[in-house]
Amino acid sequence: MSSKDLIITLPNERLRQRSQRVAVVTDKVRKVIGAMKAATLDWEATRPHEVGVALAAIQIDKPYRIIIVRNNFEDKKDRTFSVLINPEVVKLEGEIKEDYEGCLSVADIYGKVPRHSKVRIRALNEEGHPIRIRAEGFLARILQHETDHTVGKMFVDYIKDRPEAFFKLTPEGKLENLPYESLQKTGIFRD
């Protein structure tokens, strides 16, 4: 079994559950973090036009409030990640902007999702020390997306009533509209 096979995808209902807080950073937690990194990089290795930018623990079927975020999304050779444990959105700021999002747990589907352009997050780092992050732009979008995972929310929930907001990636790496009728049959939407 390859590490990318750890990643669960919709319609798996476990993606909709709330993750539990991490009280102490133990060896078990570190092992989950290692598995998250390996799964993301293994998934990316099979995707010529995509970069694995982030992952939540629930996406490998571990219901912990842990997310990893790639340190440099522009460079596939940089395979390092920052770890956020118990991430919480402290404040959403800025304009609400629409942009494309994908998800390792929503196979081959992208959406044009509205998100705040700025966010403030508090969390613990991998050593268990408190940290605060102010982010804007793409990083703010990623942090909102991944923090949503920890409470059982998926990007498709924001756009489920907007048929024009869904896309697929062509073999050439271009996004093209996805027929909404076919999506409705996949079970990716919450009832």
Side-chain angles (χ1 to χ4, degrees):
M1 178 170 154
S2 96
S3 292
K4 72 176 170 42
D5 296 331
L6 296 173
I7 298 170
I8 59 175
T9 59
L10 285 178
N12 189 320
E13 276 303 310
R14 290 189 304 278
L15 287 163
R16 299 297 193 172
Q17 72 185 43
R18 293 181 75 85
S19 297
Q20 61 195 25
R21 292 184 66 78
V22 174
V24 179
V25 181
T26 62
D27 285 343
K28 181 179 178 182
V29 168
R30 287 185 196 89
K31 205 171 189 176
V32 169
I33 293 166
M36 292 167 68
K37 292 175 183 178
T40 303
L41 294 170
D42 195 28
W43 174 90
E44 173 185 278
T46 65
R47 315 294 279 209
H49 302 292
E50 297 165 290
V51 176
V53 296
L55 194 76
I58 194 64
Q59 292 178 266
I60 61 164
D61 210 10
K62 301 293 182 189
Y64 300 112
R65 292 180 61 93
I66 304 170
I67 64 175
I68 60 168
V69 180
R70 194 177 203 120
N71 290 324
N72 183 349
F73 341 113
E74 305 295 324
D75 183 5
K76 266 186 147 176
K77 291 179 192 135
D78 184 342
R79 298 162 60 88
T80 62
F81 293 86
S82 292
V83 176
L84 302 178
I85 299 169
N86 302 329
E88 292 179 53
V89 173
V90 175
K91 190 171 186 180
L92 295 168
E93 302 175 291
E95 311 169 56
I96 294 180
K97 295 184 176 183
E98 283 191 356
D99 206 348
Y100 297 101
E101 288 185 27
C103 181
L104 280 65
S105 291
V106 184
D108 302 319
I109 297 171
Y110 284 79
K112 205 155 190 193
V113 182
R115 299 262 187 202
H116 283 83
S117 60
K118 297 178 182 179
V119 67
R120 293 182 195 196
I121 300 275
R122 77 171 155 231
L124 300 176
N125 66 14
E126 203 166 352
E127 289 77 42
H129 299 127
I131 56 172
R132 291 187 175 267
I133 299 170
R134 281 182 163 187
E136 57 185 85
F138 188 56
L139 179 57
R141 177 169 295 278
I142 291 167
L143 290 171
Q144 290 170 75
H145 177 114
E146 297 305 325
T147 303
D148 277 352
H149 275 301
T150 68
V151 295
K153 192 161 188 173
M154 306 287 290
F155 84 85
V156 297
D157 299 337
Y158 290 95
I159 56 175
K160 66 181 180 183
D161 297 324
R162 296 184 40 226
E164 76 288 352
F166 290 92
F167 300 84
K168 69 176 180 177
L169 194 66
T170 67
E172 299 77 37
K174 306 281 185 219
L175 289 174
E176 64 181 34
N177 281 95
L178 195 57
Y180 190 67
E181 302 74 40
S182 65
L183 283 175
Q184 291 174 307
K185 297 173 187 165
T186 63
I188 65 168
F189 300 119
R190 228 180 211 165
D191 294 329

